[in-house]
Amino acid sequence: MRALERKLFRDAWRLRGQIVSIALVVAAGVMSAFTMRSTLGSLEQSRDSYYRDYRMPDVFASLNRAPERMAERIAALPGVSAVEARVTLRAVLAVPGLERPATGFLVSVPDGRRPVLGDLYLRAGRYIEPGRDDEVLVSERFADVNTLRVGDTLSAVLNGRFRTLNIVGIALSPEFVYEIDAAGGFLGDERLFGVLWMSREALAAARDMTGAFNDLAVRLSPGASERAVLDDIDALLRPFGGLGAYSRSDQLSNRLVADEIAGIRATAAVIPVIFLGVAAFLLHIVLARLLALEREQIATLKAFGYDDRTIGFHYLGMAVIATGVGAVIGLIAGFWLGSAYTDLYARYFRFPELRYSASWDVAGGAIFITALAAMGGAWSAVRDAARLQPAEGMRPAAPPRFKPLLVERIGFDRALSPAQRMILRNMERRPMRALLSAIGVAAALAVLLTGFVMLDSMDGMIDLQFDRVQREHIALTFTNDRNLGAAQELARLPGVVDAEVFRAVPVRLSHGHRSRRLALTGLDPAGELRLMIDADGGSHPLPYDGVVLTERLARSLRVAPFDTLRVELLDRGGEVRTTVVAATMDELLGVNGYLSMDALARLVREEPRANGAWITLERGAEQDVLDRLRSLPAVASTTSKNAMLRSFEDQVEESFTVMSGILLTLASILATGVIYNGARIALSERGRELASLRVLGFTRREVAAMLLGEQAVITFVALPLGALLGAGITAAVLNAYDTELYRIPLVLRAGTFAWAAFAIVVVAAGAAFLVRRRLDRSDLIAVLKTRE
């Protein structure tokens, strides 16, 4: 081993505390980058292979009823390579062990063969036997949460008739990777909604659709124009109540998976940058101080013939050691954490196999970016060492110049003690270092705040949407349109306090060349169970005429109040009407349009009708009311808001427990690394000064206060800066999750900031304790003998 290599390892061992703290910050950066990138790759790879192997459709269409020959005509369209015509039906399910009625979405599968598109993966059991009208396959998630097994039975109300269904298999479908009730929004109780597959012949008979279909899956030919195929399908299905064809990108399950992947990608671009930036700063200040202490050694080495490159690489080796150790730790921790994250996603995204795969490309990319940041932080210090001339290095460095503080120049110095003036003067001597240290501590607070503010924001969205907007206890849909007297009928049920009906009509809204497919919802202007409240909590009245659009929908269509919209009634053969945009509102969930019940009736040119209702209940009456609703043939499905929210809270609590522990660990590493290194650098720089003060009679506590007071000032200055940075990062992350399905508003709560600030202060106190212990153990005589 050469002399410089021995010196490098001796220096690294002497500075092991600082090297370890920097390595941990580097490890946190590598871990976060590697975890997110590898998890992202695992999800994308699993999704793409699943879609490919099980033939995920490219285009979907729903309609009222069309004869089988229409499927053949669609298959002959230019750009279409395959078509699967199906029958679907929503049904109320009685699940063993489940007190509430569940909603089942039944999808037909061909008799005697596998589906051409959207093939099923059998996790357990067997396929449905031809000719059996009592056998079903059940989706894996619904089976797991309700402990259903092959051989169990379910009771179902199919088109108003009770049936007993035998479970013969547990299955997965690429169309339901994330299983969610489209009628219930992105929140839902996973126990109360499931997908079932039934023989085409049996389901068609139960749906009164023998020889017909009401759902279509289409695969496009390579290079086909998706827009042209959608238009052609709409034109063919319009006379049969076509509800509008849509692409895979608008399919609910696929969109939720794609939105989650986009959110991970955005987070992966933000969080690692914080850690790597702090690591670069710490390497810079440690190496800069080391080089300042070794000026004479550098000059001596150059005098003995070592060239600038050799000396530069020697000191760069310190950064390589810290980065290398951190990279190894980060990759190991990232592999473990990425595997845990992938397992967590496997509980919600149902793939045949969601295997964690960490490629060398991802690992190499994380190490390369980390090394680049570390070398960038170390470069300026190493460059100064390489440029140092021997004669200059033999001379002591010029002493720092102090000048009166601003508070001294304006006469407020009497309010400061000598120790406080010393602290402020030392910070003024190196303002950039103090500023960057404050930014490092602020980054730690920001990392900690990000997760907690996101949880507060999610709670704020839930409180607004489900306490003030959706005030019902149960939402239900009817099998067919009903007159408005259905509200009074429901209100007379035992345990029901109030009932309001609504109507949802599938339409395509157009303005110029822009169009959107959605359901217009007719509301009772005097209703109290569904209010029009925007994201800021402001209430919007329902106009007598015209439609109220959510702002996201209005921006998509490029419309403003008083503009005219073209309305295509999809369930009426594409009949065209026009309506005026009465107002827009910033709503949190979905892209929606609202009218009064009377305005909707005038738009469709018929008497007011309803196809759903909201009801409120007496305390403790929910189960009895749900049981009664389940027995009513006119009720197609029910959704309990309380059950839905409980399920959501359980999911959030589980994931947040893991996330909060990770964020607290990462924030602690950041704060400890910045504060410990700052205090250790100050101790090495001011060792003679502090030792002199001890000899002059200052106590250990007073000397420690002078040393650590600077770090205390930096920490408290960093708290408001970290609060702003945390709010900004959280806003950026929430913006990445801002989709058409939902939007989470930024909610800032004082208690959350206070808790996070307290945690950072505790971590800072721990780092200060480590330095204080080293200070107490220092040898005063040895320090005073050291040359300045």
Side-chain angles (χ1 to χ4, degrees):
M1 182 179 293
R2 294 182 301 175
L4 283 184
E5 293 174 349
R6 288 196 297 272
K7 177 181 179 302
L8 173 63
F9 287 112
R10 284 199 301 267
D11 288 343
W13 178 253
R14 178 167 54 86
L15 300 173
R16 58 187 179 276
Q18 293 166 267
I19 294 295
V20 168
S21 65
I22 295 172
L24 289 177
V25 175
V26 171
V30 173
M31 181 191 71
S32 57
F34 185 69
T35 296
M36 294 176 186
R37 290 292 179 185
S38 58
T39 302
L40 178 65
S42 300
L43 284 174
E44 289 182 321
Q45 182 179 349
S46 298
R47 179 196 61 181
D48 295 344
S49 62
Y50 187 26
Y51 283 3
R52 181 188 63 250
D53 297 342
Y54 288 83
R55 303 179 295 281
M56 175 70 165
D58 299 309
V59 170
F60 303 84
S62 298
L63 59 148
N64 290 338
R65 178 191 177 96
E68 288 286 352
R69 58 183 170 81
M70 293 308 302
E72 298 173 2
R73 291 187 59 184
I74 291 172
L77 289 173
V80 174
S81 66
V83 169
E84 186 77 57
R86 306 180 293 200
V87 175
T88 62
L89 173 67
R90 292 177 65 87
V92 176
L93 304 177
V95 181
L98 188 63
E99 296 180 350
R100 299 175 177 84
T103 299
F105 183 68
L106 280 77
V107 182
S108 69
V109 291
D111 294 281
R113 66 173 176 86
R114 304 298 289 264
V116 173
L117 298 178
D119 194 8
L120 304 181
Y121 175 86
L122 281 178
R123 184 74 80 183
R126 59 173 174 81
Y127 200 70
I128 298 170
E129 292 183 357
R132 294 299 298 267
D133 62 357
D134 61 345
E135 294 184 349
V136 293
L137 305 175
V138 177
S139 57
E140 183 184 48
R141 187 181 185 189
F142 186 66
D144 285 349
V145 296
N146 289 298
T147 62
L148 296 175
R149 299 291 182 265
V150 174
D152 292 345
T153 60
L154 297 171
S155 297
V157 181
L158 303 184
N159 209 22
R161 294 184 291 270
F162 282 95
R163 296 282 295 276
T164 298
L165 305 176
N166 299 312
I167 300 175
V168 298
I170 308 297
L172 299 173
S173 167
E175 299 176 46
F176 301 98
V177 170
Y178 190 86
E179 194 169 314
I180 188 171
D181 187 359
F186 82 100
L187 296 179
D189 189 340
E190 56 188 1
R191 300 172 303 165
L192 301 180
F193 177 77
V195 181
L196 290 77
W197 293 270
M198 193 175 185
S199 160
R200 168 70 183 275
E201 181 180 345
L203 189 56
R207 186 72 168 81
D208 297 329
M209 205 163 290
T210 301
F213 65 93
N214 67 346
D215 192 81
L216 199 69
V218 176
R219 171 179 282 183
L220 301 180
S221 303
S225 169
E226 183 180 271
R227 184 69 263 167
V229 173
L230 291 174
D231 291 340
D232 290 342
I233 292 175
D234 285 343
L236 289 174
L237 295 183
R238 189 172 292 116
F240 303 97
L243 302 181
Y246 55 96
S247 65
R248 181 193 293 182
S249 60
D250 291 326
Q251 199 260 349
L252 184 58
S253 170
N254 178 73
R255 185 191 294 179
L256 286 166
V257 175
D259 289 345
E260 186 64 29
I261 287 175
I264 297 174
R265 184 177 288 110
T267 305
V270 175
I271 300 299
V273 172
I274 297 175
F275 290 95
L276 299 182
V278 172
F281 162 64
L282 293 179
L283 280 169
H284 172 77
I285 62 172
V286 169
L287 286 177
R289 180 52 188 163
L290 178 64
L291 296 174
L293 294 175
E294 296 190 353
R295 286 170 55 88
E296 293 184 15
Q297 296 182 30
I298 295 171
T300 303
L301 290 172
K302 288 190 174 185
F304 277 101
Y306 287 95
D307 58 23
D308 294 347
R309 178 179 297 181
T310 302
I311 293 176
F313 277 112
H314 164 68
Y315 285 101
L316 204 60
M318 190 73 70
V320 171
I321 291 175
T323 305
V325 172
V328 171
I329 297 173
L331 288 178
I332 295 173
F335 185 87
W336 171 81
L337 189 58
S339 180
Y341 261 118
T342 303
D343 291 341
L344 184 63
Y345 276 116
R347 299 191 56 185
Y348 305 106
F349 295 156
R350 295 295 173 144
F351 297 100
E353 185 177 28
L354 180 53
R355 178 179 296 176
Y356 178 67
S357 58
S359 67
W360 286 109
D361 292 342
V362 175
I367 293 175
F368 174 76
I369 295 173
T370 303
L372 196 64
M375 296 305 107
W379 176 249
S380 61
V382 172
R383 181 188 57 193
D384 293 341
R387 291 178 176 178
L388 184 66
Q389 297 301 317
E392 181 184 352
M394 291 297 182
R395 295 194 300 267
R401 296 181 62 185
F402 288 95
K403 59 183 179 180
L405 298 169
L406 177 62
V407 292
E408 293 175 314
R409 292 197 296 270
I410 61 178
F412 289 160
D413 56 307
R414 295 180 181 179
L416 299 176
S417 67
Q420 291 170 339
R421 287 198 295 272
M422 291 175 64
I423 291 171
L424 293 180
R425 282 177 178 171
N426 199 60
M427 293 177 63
E428 187 176 304
R429 174 185 173 189
R430 294 184 176 87
M432 187 54 64
R433 179 192 294 183
L435 176 61
L436 292 177
S437 296
I439 292 175
V441 178
L445 178 59
V447 168
L448 186 58
L449 278 173
T450 298
F452 291 93
V453 173
M454 286 184 65
L455 185 67
D456 287 346
S457 299
M458 181 69 76
D459 287 341
M461 182 195 73
I462 298 299
D463 292 341
L464 176 63
Q465 187 67 30
F466 294 98
D467 286 345
R468 297 190 58 192
V469 178
Q470 299 177 218
R471 305 176 67 186
E472 78 279 359
H473 294 136
I474 294 176
L476 57 93
T477 59
F478 301 132
T479 54
N480 297 294
D481 288 353
R482 314 278 294 178
N483 60 45
L484 301 188
Q488 285 74 31
E489 295 177 14
L490 291 170
R492 286 194 291 268
L493 291 176
V496 174
V497 175
D498 193 12
E500 293 177 8
V501 292
F502 65 90
R503 184 177 186 181
V505 176
V507 300
R508 177 179 283 110
L509 300 181
S510 302
H511 182 252
H513 67 279
R514 296 179 176 85
S515 65
R516 292 302 302 267
R517 174 179 169 272
L518 69 151
L520 286 180
T521 304
L523 304 175
D524 181 357
E528 296 290 335
L529 301 187
R530 184 59 61 92
L531 302 179
M532 296 179 59
I533 297 176
D534 61 25
D536 296 326
S539 180
H540 289 253
L542 197 63
Y544 169 78
D545 204 4
V547 62
V548 178
L549 302 181
T550 56
E551 288 189 1
R552 182 179 287 276
L553 177 59
R555 288 195 300 269
S556 174
L557 295 173
R558 301 289 178 85
V559 295
F562 309 114
D563 286 345
T564 300
L565 283 174
R566 181 178 184 270
V567 183
E568 184 180 349
L569 303 176
L570 297 178
D571 62 345
R572 291 173 171 264
E575 294 179 15
V576 176
R577 308 282 193 271
T578 59
T579 188
V580 174
V581 178
T584 62
M585 62 176 291
D586 186 14
E587 195 173 51
L588 297 179
L589 299 186
V591 287
N592 302 304
Y594 301 102
L595 306 88
S596 68
M597 293 286 282
D598 290 338
L600 184 57
R602 290 192 297 270
L603 185 69
V604 300
R605 299 174 185 172
E606 67 177 22
E607 292 296 318
R609 306 281 288 174
N611 54 16
W614 299 298
I615 60 178
T616 55
L617 310 173
E618 297 174 357
R619 184 183 297 273
E622 181 172 307
Q623 186 56 51
D624 292 338
V625 172
L626 285 170
D627 290 339
R628 289 188 178 90
L629 292 175
R630 183 169 53 186
S631 65
L632 297 178
V635 176
S637 65
T638 59
T639 303
S640 167
K641 184 176 73 174
N642 291 335
M644 178 176 62
L645 291 178
R646 280 196 297 270
S647 175
F648 174 74
E649 289 168 356
D650 290 342
Q651 296 176 26
V652 170
E653 182 179 0
E654 178 184 6
S655 59
F656 183 71
T657 300
V658 176
M659 182 183 69
S660 60
I662 294 172
L663 290 177
L664 184 58
T665 301
L666 295 179
S668 299
I669 290 173
L670 269 182
T672 301
V674 173
I675 295 170
Y676 177 78
N677 275 282
R680 285 285 289 113
I681 293 296
L683 179 58
S684 64
E685 290 176 339
R686 302 170 63 189
R688 286 177 59 85
E689 172 190 334
L690 298 175
S692 299
L693 292 174
R694 286 281 290 116
V695 171
L696 291 175
F698 282 77
T699 65
R700 289 181 176 177
R701 177 177 297 180
E702 291 171 331
V703 171
M706 294 181 189
L707 173 65
L708 300 176
E710 179 179 342
Q711 305 307 314
V713 172
I714 288 173
T715 299
F716 284 102
V717 168
L719 295 181
L721 181 61
L724 293 175
L725 184 60
I729 293 174
T730 306
V733 173
L734 291 179
N735 185 64
Y737 283 92
D738 187 355
T739 68
E740 290 191 351
L741 293 176
Y742 63 92
R743 182 171 66 83
I744 304 175
L746 181 65
V747 175
L748 305 176
R749 294 175 178 168
T752 300
F753 284 89
W755 184 93
F758 173 75
I760 294 299
V761 170
V762 170
V763 171
F769 172 77
L770 296 176
V771 178
R772 165 69 186 272
R773 187 176 61 175
R774 186 177 185 88
L775 176 63
D776 290 344
R777 294 176 178 177
S778 61
D779 187 341
L780 300 180
I781 304 301
V783 171
L784 290 174
K785 286 182 177 180
T786 304
R787 287 186 58 186
E788 188 62 56

